Amino acid sequence: MNDKYTSPLESATRKEIDKILENLGWNINEFNKNCNVFTERVKNKSEIKKIKNIFPNGKFPDYVLYNSNNNEPIGIIEAKRIGTKLDNALIQAKEYALCLGVKIIFAVDGGIVEARWVEGNRYLKKDGQLINEILTEKTLLKFINEGNEIHTSKKTTKTREDLISIFKKTND
């Protein structure tokens, strides 16, 4: 950026997150009864008590993602201004996740997305690749059901011999 201009704030990151969530099919309209993304608050009053047990002054996650079918919280997103180290955001997200029983957290600085499985602070992986983006509800639920690593490939080649065998069959 040019030294003449100021740097984007956390609010700019939140605008980006909103666009991403909408493009992924999340319903971010908190006035709509089918909303499954809540900002700076939780959806249910019972969840307020869970948060206030740990944060009596009423700190809340930047984003809470919900399962559309049962209104259970399934993800936490903490937003930070661009260029901010995400370590503290991940710690903060994990604290909220533990309050609400959420297994997956994200920290976003407008350019970088870090995704973690709360238990053991493990990375999320899809087909062996680290997740570095916010996920659709369907994919998030797949992680919740299968753990921090999911596989979408139907068949994987495990050895060099398997690959040679496939090429021989194809060549014939």
Side-chain angles (χ1 to χ4, degrees), residues 54-67:
I54 304 297
F55 301 103
N57 295 332
K59 285 176 46 178
F60 288 93
D62 290 336
Y63 291 82
V64 183
L65 308 175
Y66 286 87
N67 182 331

Side-chain angles (χ1 to χ4, degrees), residues 90 94 105 116-123:
L90 288 166
K94 183 176 181 176
I105 57 173
R116 293 286 191 334
W117 184 260
V118 172
E119 185 180 313
N121 196 35
R122 293 176 289 179
Y123 289 99

Side-chain angles (χ1 to χ4, degrees), residues 106 113-115 123-126 129-135 139 143 148 150:
F106 300 89
V113 175
E114 294 229 11
Y123 289 99
L124 296 183
K125 293 182 181 178
K126 181 177 178 183
Q129 300 295 310
L130 286 179
I131 296 295
N132 59 0
E133 61 190 6
I134 299 171
L135 302 169
T139 304
F143 272 106
N148 72 301
I150 62 172

Side-chain angles (χ1 to χ4, degrees), residues 2 9-11 15 23 25 33 40 45 50 65 80 82 92 97 101 107 116 119 121 124 133 139 148 157-158 172:
N2 189 326
L9 300 175
E10 184 177 309
S11 60
K15 288 177 186 175
N23 288 337
K33 68 180 177 93
E40 297 185 21
K45 290 182 180 179
K50 292 176 182 178
L65 308 175
K80 297 297 173 206
I82 195 159
Q92 203 175 358
R116 293 286 191 334
E119 185 180 313
N121 196 35
L124 296 183
E133 61 190 6
T139 304
N148 72 301
T157 304
K158 293 188 170 108
D172 289 342

Side-chain angles (χ1 to χ4, degrees), residues 46-60:
S46 63
E47 295 164 350
I48 292 172
K49 291 177 186 172
K50 292 176 182 178
I51 296 275
K52 287 203 174 194
N53 282 338
I54 304 297
F55 301 103
N57 295 332
K59 285 176 46 178
F60 288 93

Side-chain angles (χ1 to χ4, degrees), residues 88-101:
N88 288 338
L90 288 166
I91 291 167
Q92 203 175 358
K94 183 176 181 176
E95 290 172 341
Y96 295 127
L98 291 171
C99 291
L100 298 172

